[in-house]
Amino acid sequence: MALTTVKSMKQRGGDTLDSMFASRYVQCELPKFEMPEFETPKDAAYQIISDELMLDGNPRLNLASFVTTWMEPECDKLIMSALNKNYIDMDEYPITTELQDRCVNMIARLFNAPIEEGEQAVGAGTVGSSEAIMLAGLAFKRKWQNERKAAGLPWDKPNMVTGANVQVCWEKFARYFEVELREVKLKEDYYILDPAKAVELCDENTICVCAILGSTYNGEFEDVQMLNDLLEKKNAEKGWHIPIHVDAASGGFIAPFLYPDIVWDFRLPLVKSINVSGHKYGLVYAGIGWVIWRNKEDLPEELVFHVNYLGADQPTFTLNFSKGASQVIAQYYQLIRLGFQGYKSIMANCAMNAKTLTTAIEGIGRFKILSKEIGVPVVAFSLLDSSDHDEFEISDGLRRYGWTVPAYTMAPDAQHVTLLRVVVREDFSRSLADRLVTDIKRVLATLDSRPSKLIQAVTEAVQQENKEMTSTPDAVTVAEVKDTAAFKEVVHGRKKGHHGGHHHSHSRGHARKKHALHKSNGVC
């Protein structure tokens, strides 16, 4: 690289990215927020980026995410070979299109769609469940509007009913596409949608009710069958036609293999569409989801676009246009590679590891388990006593051992409950579970050796008061803190259930919850 470039880059000061490692090519800094003036040799560019990425977390230790982090090397080869294929160009890549259609049909039949032999299922591949939900929601909204217009009724105030525990993409859909979101609030020890309360919120403007097969918060399945029965009765009484959508992002590749007797899918007449994340328990890397409709009448034809400027007539119903073909191919690989028994074996193993981890965490004697044995293989747990230290401190402590275990508060009206959550994926082995429990015990021991958050808070307040009174404040001991009026007042308030530390924890918890869920949303 030219010496003038070295000089000009060094003059930029703080806006540069240090890359001063032993290389014959790179003897200078690179700008952070603008393109460099000259080329960087390919091996140096690789090394610069590789070095920075080493500071990322280890995906396999990211227990916050439901997203697949390991696939077989043979599938990795297929993905690499298809990175230059644009899936939307169906005329140029007809085999990829056919693989997508095969996936749709396999998943539709897995969900018991009423498809005759030789008949094609109705569905689409998406970037993830977020896009799938947007498409399903748009279909419900358009179908409801068409029915209202045909009947000469107002069609400008659509609403949908969900539990307060829905993933943030439902809130996005409601806001982006101007649909009122009516949420059924949660309560302590009942962290999923109450079907009876959901039906009570419905009216003639309700475009659908959403049920979740695997809550983001604790992995629990909602009772879709009860919702269907109650809603059928309500529809008959009122003359409505309110349908159900099942958000099976996490549970769609769990329930058919582990819990075939749970009726949640197209076996229920009001279930008109289902979404599932191929990149979760579909066992594909991030970037693939699926939406399946019961039949073609449930997807309004006017939402499907037809283009021919890529070589032939191509129907498309997506929010974006171009998309890589790799994940579609990877999903097809997994479906034929594993088959029903292969998926069943993997899901059973995940469930067993989750059960083992649950037992081990219960054995510590400090936690209450909030997840259920039947559901997504997730272990959600909260402290029995958080008066001295809370779940956020445990989450922070585990990061020092490399683990990402999120701490967050429940959805309204159970936001006073704080929990930790571990997602058990295919690559989370029994030995990793044992190591995690060991590290949780280490974190607890470290926290137990420290002053409680209450004492720390009062200590800081007393020190601040002393600092304001004198220029050289004396050190404050724990004994002195406990003897202060401030400490006694806080303890007295805590006994009444109103201590300051509690509210601080949940204020911080609310912010961290939003950060954790939004961070995972891009891959959920």
Side-chain angles (χ1 to χ4, degrees):
M1 190 175 289
L3 293 178
T4 54
T5 306
V6 175
K7 182 178 179 181
S8 62
M9 285 185 176
K10 287 185 176 180
Q11 287 174 345
R12 291 190 176 95
D15 290 334
T16 56
L17 179 67
D18 290 334
S19 58
M20 302 293 286
F21 60 92
S23 167
R24 69 179 65 187
Y25 301 115
V26 179
Q27 301 293 325
C28 63
E29 299 168 341
L30 289 175
K32 286 182 182 177
F33 305 121
E34 60 182 272
M35 292 176 62
E37 185 176 354
F38 297 99
E39 297 176 6
T40 303
K42 60 181 183 297
D43 51 348
Y46 169 83
Q47 188 67 51
I48 291 167
I49 298 171
S50 177
D51 286 352
E52 279 209 272
L53 290 176
M54 287 193 299
L55 300 176
D56 266 348
N58 184 333
R60 289 189 60 187
L61 300 184
N62 179 9
L63 306 182
S65 177
F66 289 85
V67 174
T68 296
T69 53
W70 178 86
M71 297 189 75
E72 291 177 330
E74 289 77 9
C75 192
D76 288 343
K77 293 178 183 178
L78 288 172
I79 289 172
M80 292 301 297
S81 67
L83 284 178
N84 59 351
K85 286 186 178 180
N86 185 0
Y87 163 74
I88 200 64
D89 195 345
M90 302 175 188
D91 185 58
E92 183 68 20
Y93 309 117
I95 303 304
T96 301
T97 301
E98 184 174 334
L99 297 187
Q100 190 253 200
D101 293 342
R102 293 178 191 175
C103 289
V104 166
N105 279 275
M106 289 181 185
I107 295 169
R109 285 169 170 80
L110 184 67
F111 295 164
N112 295 294
I115 306 170
E116 300 294 336
E117 186 175 351
E119 184 182 358
Q120 291 294 309
V122 181
T126 61
V127 175
S129 274
S130 292
E131 184 188 5
I133 284 167
M134 301 287 174
L135 299 179
L138 285 171
F140 283 123
K141 181 180 178 182
R142 181 57 58 89
K143 189 171 183 181
W144 172 84
Q145 287 176 328
N146 290 343
E147 290 175 354
R148 298 284 290 181
K149 290 177 183 178
L153 297 171
W155 49 274
D156 59 333
K157 294 182 179 179
N159 69 69
M160 65 191 310
V161 178
T162 71
N165 57 316
V166 291
Q167 219 262 4
V168 71
C169 59
W170 284 100
E171 298 177 39
K172 286 184 176 182
F173 168 78
R175 190 177 302 178
Y176 292 168
F177 297 104
E178 299 180 322
V179 174
E180 177 193 355
L181 187 65
R182 297 182 176 180
E183 295 184 337
V184 178
K185 304 301 182 185
L186 309 185
K187 59 183 178 181
E188 190 163 359
D189 295 327
Y190 195 91
Y191 303 123
I192 55 175
L193 175 78
D194 184 328
K197 291 182 178 179
V199 173
E200 288 175 5
L201 290 178
C202 293
D203 60 24
E204 62 181 8
N205 294 320
T206 302
I207 64 173
C208 75
V209 179
C210 167
I212 307 175
L213 198 74
S215 173
T216 298
Y217 290 88
N218 68 342
E220 190 173 355
F221 291 167
E222 294 182 342
D223 194 337
V224 188
Q225 186 167 19
M226 180 183 292
L227 176 63
N228 178 87
D229 295 345
L230 293 175
L231 193 54
E232 271 193 318
K233 183 178 179 180
K234 190 75 168 183
N235 283 342
E237 291 174 357
K238 299 291 187 178
W240 298 338
H241 304 94
I242 300 173
I244 295 172
H245 175 86
V246 180
D247 181 354
S250 301
F253 278 108
I254 298 289
F257 306 109
L258 298 187
Y259 314 110
D261 294 333
I262 296 179
V263 181
W264 62 274
D265 52 19
F266 291 117
R267 287 171 288 181
L268 299 172
L270 291 185
V271 174
K272 302 300 183 181
S273 56
I274 300 172
N275 69 276
V276 65
S277 293
H279 60 218
K280 292 183 180 177
Y281 289 98
L283 307 180
V284 178
Y285 295 138
I288 186 68
W290 303 93
V291 57
I292 310 294
W293 283 273
R294 185 182 193 85
N295 52 54
K296 62 182 180 181
E297 288 76 22
D298 295 309
L299 174 57
E301 177 61 30
E302 63 263 36
L303 293 180
V304 180
F305 287 80
H306 294 265
V307 298
N308 62 8
Y309 44 74
L310 290 177
D313 179 68
Q314 299 170 8
T316 174
F317 182 34
T318 57
L319 293 182
N320 62 306
F321 195 65
S322 294
K323 180 175 68 175
S326 295
Q327 264 61 21
V328 171
I329 295 169
Q331 183 72 84
Y332 184 68
Y333 173 89
Q334 292 290 53
L335 291 173
I336 66 167
R337 163 75 175 91
L338 297 172
F340 189 93
Q341 291 301 324
Y343 268 99
K344 182 177 181 179
S345 176
I346 290 171
M347 301 313 154
N349 188 55
C350 289
M352 183 59 67
N353 285 341
K355 186 175 182 179
T356 301
L357 180 60
T358 297
T359 301
I361 291 175
E362 277 185 312
I364 296 174
R366 304 277 293 269
F367 298 102
K368 175 183 179 180
I369 302 297
L370 302 180
S371 47
K372 306 296 182 181
E373 186 172 347
I374 295 178
V376 177
V378 163
V379 184
F381 53 104
S382 63
L383 282 165
L384 293 170
D385 181 5
S386 58
S387 57
D388 288 337
H389 298 285
D390 61 26
E391 290 82 358
F392 297 102
E393 292 173 281
I394 295 174
S395 178
D396 289 341
L398 287 172
R399 283 185 179 273
R400 292 198 293 272
Y401 295 100
W403 302 104
T404 301
V405 177
Y408 52 93
T409 54
M410 276 286 186
D413 283 337
Q415 60 265 48
H416 60 284
V417 178
T418 308
L419 65 157
L420 296 150
R421 187 194 69 201
V422 173
V423 178
V424 179
R425 300 188 302 268
E426 179 188 7
D427 57 0
F428 186 72
S429 64
R430 193 70 57 86
S431 60
L432 284 178
D434 292 340
R435 172 53 58 185
L436 174 62
V437 173
T438 298
D439 291 340
I440 290 174
K441 292 177 180 178
R442 288 177 177 174
V443 170
L444 288 171
T446 300
L447 292 176
D448 289 342
S449 68
R450 298 175 181 171
S452 72
K453 59 187 179 184
L454 181 60
I455 292 178
Q456 287 179 326
V458 178
T459 300
E460 292 172 2
V462 173
Q463 287 177 334
Q464 181 62 29
E465 185 177 344
N466 289 348
K467 184 177 181 180
E468 292 173 356
M469 295 175 62
T470 63
S471 58
T472 55
D474 296 329
V476 181
T477 66
V478 171
E480 290 172 331
V481 169
K482 288 186 174 181
D483 194 45
T484 63
F487 180 79
K488 293 175 180 177
E489 181 179 351
V490 171
V491 170
H492 178 68
R494 193 181 77 191
K495 288 178 180 178
K496 294 182 178 180
H498 300 294
H499 69 82
H502 175 84
H503 292 293
H504 171 75
S505 171
H506 288 298
S507 173
R508 176 175 54 160
H510 181 67
R512 291 201 187 190
K513 166 199 152 187
K514 279 196 169 183
H515 171 73
L517 292 184
H518 283 234
K519 185 177 180 182
S520 67
N521 179 46
V523 294
C524 292

